[in-house]
Amino acid sequence: MAKKEDTEQEAPENKEPLTEEQRIAQLEKKAGTNKLVLFSMALVLVIVISMLVTAFTLLIFKDTKKSNNEADTGLQTEVLELKQQLGNLDSKLNDFSLTIPELKGQLANTQNTTLKRVMLEQEQSFQTFLTALQSGTYDLAHMVPGSRTWLEQYSEQISQAMTHSKDRINSLKSLNSSEALSKDDPFFGDDF
C-alpha cells in the first residue's frame, strides 16, 4: 500500500503542466462545487433560523395567552364584583323610593309647615285688626270736630301697614315653591 501512495504522490509531479483552459475549467468546477456547498449551507441556515423564529413566536404567544387568561379571569371577577355592587345599589334605590313618600308626609307635618300656617293666620288677623282700626279712625274723625288732618295721617300709615302685611302673606305663600325671600320687611315697614 505504501507503493500505491507513493505513485499517487509522484503522479501529480509527473503530470504535465495544465494549460490555461484546463486550469480555468478546474477553477470553474471548484467554484461550482463551492457555490453548491454555500447554497446548501445558506439553505440550512434559513431553515434553522425560520425554525428558531417560529419556536420563539410560539413561546411568546403561549406566554401571552397565559397572561391573557389571567387578565380575563381578573376582569371576570371584577365584572362580577361590579354586578354585585350594582345589585346592592338597585336594592338601596328601591328602599329609598319606598321611603320618599313617608319622608314627604313627615315633611308636611313638620314644625316649619305648622309655623308657616300660624304666621299666615296671624297676618290675616293683623289685616282684620288694621281694617277695623281704619274704620274706627274714620268714624272717630267724623265725631270729633277738626280731626281731618290726623285722619289723613293715620289712614296713610294704616294703609302702608296693610300693604306690608299683604306682602308678608305673599312671601309666606311662596315658601311652598322654595323661592327665597327677596326683601327683609320689618313688621310695619320702614316708615315708623
Side-chain angles (χ1 to χ4, degrees), residues 134-149:
Q134 192 173 24
S135 168
T137 53
Y138 180 77
D139 291 341
L140 186 62
H142 287 339
M143 289 182 195
V144 178
S147 59
R148 287 260 192 234
T149 57

Side-chain angles (χ1 to χ4, degrees), residues 77-163:
T77 56
E78 188 175 343
V79 165
L80 290 176
E81 290 174 4
L82 290 174
K83 283 183 179 179
Q84 186 178 14
Q85 288 177 358
L86 182 63
N88 291 340
L89 290 175
D90 283 341
S91 65
K92 286 181 182 179
L93 183 63
N94 289 337
D95 292 343
F96 288 143
S97 66
L98 294 176
T99 58
I100 285 176
E102 184 179 318
L103 291 174
K104 284 183 178 179
Q106 290 176 357
L107 181 63
N109 295 328
T110 61
Q111 292 177 355
N112 292 337
T113 307
T114 306
L115 182 62
K116 178 184 158 188
R117 185 180 43 80
V118 168
M119 289 178 73
L120 281 170
E121 291 172 1
Q122 187 179 16
E123 285 297 325
Q124 290 170 350
S125 296
F126 288 152
Q127 286 183 9
T128 304
F129 170 74
L130 290 173
T131 304
L133 180 64
Q134 192 173 24
S135 168
T137 53
Y138 180 77
D139 291 341
L140 186 62
H142 287 339
M143 289 182 195
V144 178
S147 59
R148 287 260 192 234
T149 57
W150 62 266
L151 175 65
E152 290 174 3
Q153 182 181 5
Y154 288 129
S155 292
E156 183 180 325
Q157 290 177 353
I158 292 171
S159 295
Q160 286 178 353
M162 284 185 73
T163 304

Side-chain angles (χ1 to χ4, degrees), residues 172-187:
L172 286 170
K173 286 181 180 178
S174 71
L175 286 178
N176 280 344
S177 63
S178 301
E179 294 176 4
L181 295 176
S182 60
K183 56 184 177 180
D184 289 331
D185 272 343
F187 185 71

Side-chain angles (χ1 to χ4, degrees), residues 49-61:
I49 289 174
S50 66
M51 286 174 41
L52 288 175
V53 167
T54 305
F56 185 69
T57 54
L58 288 176
L59 191 66
I60 287 175
F61 283 127

